[in-house]
């Protein structure tokens, strides 16, 4: 589907000169327009209202993150699909960023298992809309509104191999746990080979330097065992 989303609005013919995102225009320091910035507050408010309204009755849910660039031949794709399938069979909704790759795999696994497959998309210059396996989808303009929905409506995060966006969600959740903004919230990294370098740096550099504590490191579970992943998420029911 050629074209692009601007928040919830799809445009098929977009001039290249106008190919900026709402977030970019908001954050561009040179773009000073007091009148428009005031009205943007209402647009930001509307994104929160729309998200809260759509997800208020979601029930138990787990968020699954991972790269949009990894396709069906990557092991993480099959892992995401299997984890989502098992979570859906256990009665959880599955929330992703709604894009391709690992996100698509998780939405596919949940939807085909008869669970609720949720996609929280974001307006980007290089991705168009939500994948075909999303049952309930919301497309956001602002990253901060979207990120709030992940943490508010998920009971835990499953993080598969991913890039900058995946790391952003990972460390957001880790920060919120460290500061006790969220509690009883498992964060599981799937793929020991992929995540070992990051964990090693956190342990050997950050922990050794005293910039984090052992308790911070202990918040992360790294595993290749899909049974362990699902069991950790099921335990959130006991902690609720």
């Amino acid at each position: 589907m050629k074209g692009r989303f601007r928040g919830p609005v799809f445009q098929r013919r977009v001039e290249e000169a106008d190919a900026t995102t709402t977030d970019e225009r908001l954050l561009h320091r040179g773009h000073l327009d007091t009148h428009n910035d005031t009205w943007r507050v209402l647009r930001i408010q509307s994104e929160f209202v729309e998200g809260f309204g759509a997800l208020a009755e979601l029930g138990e849910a787990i968020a699954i993150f991972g790269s949009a660039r990894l396709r069906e031949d990557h092991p993480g794709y099959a892992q995401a699909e299997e984890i989502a399938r098992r979570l859906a069979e256990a009665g959880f909704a599955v929330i992703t960023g709604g894009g391709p790759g690992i996100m698509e795999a998780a939405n596919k696994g949940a939807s085909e298992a008869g669970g609720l497959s949720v996609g929280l998309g974001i307006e980007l210059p290089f991705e168009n809309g939500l994948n075909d396996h999303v049952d309930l989808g919301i497309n956001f303009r602002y990253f901060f509104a979207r990120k709030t929905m992940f943490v508010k409506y998920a009971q835990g995060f499953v993080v598969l191999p991913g890039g900058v966006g995946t790391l952003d969600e990972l460390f957001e959740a880790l920060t919120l746990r460290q500061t006790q903004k969220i509690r009883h919230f498992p964060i599981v990294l799937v793929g020991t080979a992929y995540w070992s370098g990051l964990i090693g740096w956190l342990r050997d550099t950050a922990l050794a330097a005293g910039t984090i504590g052992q308790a911070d490191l202990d918040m992360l579970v790294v595993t290749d065992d899909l049974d362990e992943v699902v069991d950790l998420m099921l335990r959130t029911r006991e902690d609720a």
Side-chain angles (χ1 to χ4, degrees), residues 11-30:
Q11 295 176 305
R12 188 171 298 282
R13 298 182 182 88
V14 182
E15 294 296 330
E16 195 64 32
D18 192 34
T20 59
T21 64
T22 310
D23 256 338
E24 180 184 356
R25 294 191 296 276
L26 171 67
L27 298 173
H28 181 44
R29 193 174 184 278

Side-chain angles (χ1 to χ4, degrees), residues 6-214:
R6 292 194 180 282
V9 179
F10 179 74
Q11 295 176 305
R12 188 171 298 282
R13 298 182 182 88
V14 182
E15 294 296 330
E16 195 64 32
D18 192 34
T20 59
T21 64
T22 310
D23 256 338
E24 180 184 356
R25 294 191 296 276
L26 171 67
L27 298 173
H28 181 44
R29 193 174 184 278
H31 190 82
L32 298 177
D33 188 333
T34 304
H35 177 73
N36 283 340
D37 282 347
T38 301
W39 281 104
R40 280 194 182 97
V41 173
L42 296 179
R43 178 177 280 179
I44 292 166
Q45 175 182 300
S46 74
E47 291 218 333
F48 282 102
V49 170
E50 176 115 10
F52 293 157
L55 301 174
E57 299 180 7
L58 186 61
E60 297 178 321
I62 301 297
I64 299 179
F65 299 96
S67 175
R69 304 183 185 194
L70 301 181
R71 304 305 178 190
E72 293 184 29
D73 58 350
H74 190 278
Y77 191 101
Q79 289 176 320
E81 189 174 346
E82 176 67 11
I83 291 167
R85 181 186 66 78
R86 294 194 199 181
L87 290 173
E89 289 173 348
F92 287 100
V94 169
I95 309 174
T96 80
I102 296 297
M103 295 173 281
E104 174 188 273
N107 285 131
K108 180 182 178 184
S111 182
E112 291 185 350
L116 182 58
S117 173
V118 181
L120 306 182
I122 185 70
E123 177 187 284
L124 293 174
F126 44 79
E127 285 183 21
N128 295 317
L130 303 172
N131 67 66
D132 292 337
H133 302 285
V134 170
D135 300 321
L136 172 61
I138 310 170
N139 213 62
F140 290 87
R141 291 183 174 92
Y142 299 102
F143 267 113
F144 52 83
R146 176 186 186 237
K147 288 165 74 175
T148 298
M149 302 304 153
F150 280 120
V151 177
K152 179 173 175 58
Y153 292 103
Q155 294 172 243
F157 280 7
V158 177
V159 188
L160 288 101
V164 172
T166 302
L167 291 170
D168 180 44
E169 298 292 354
L170 166 60
F171 279 98
E172 169 114 6
L174 194 58
T175 300
L176 291 172
R177 276 205 58 183
Q178 183 200 55
T179 55
Q180 298 183 13
K181 301 295 185 182
I182 54 176
R183 301 171 187 262
H184 312 301
F185 192 96
I187 306 169
V188 183
L189 308 182
V190 181
T192 55
Y194 186 84
W195 295 110
S196 61
L198 174 64
I199 297 301
W201 180 85
L202 288 172
R203 181 187 61 243
D204 299 335
T205 301
L207 182 61
T211 53
I212 66 171
Q214 183 62 48

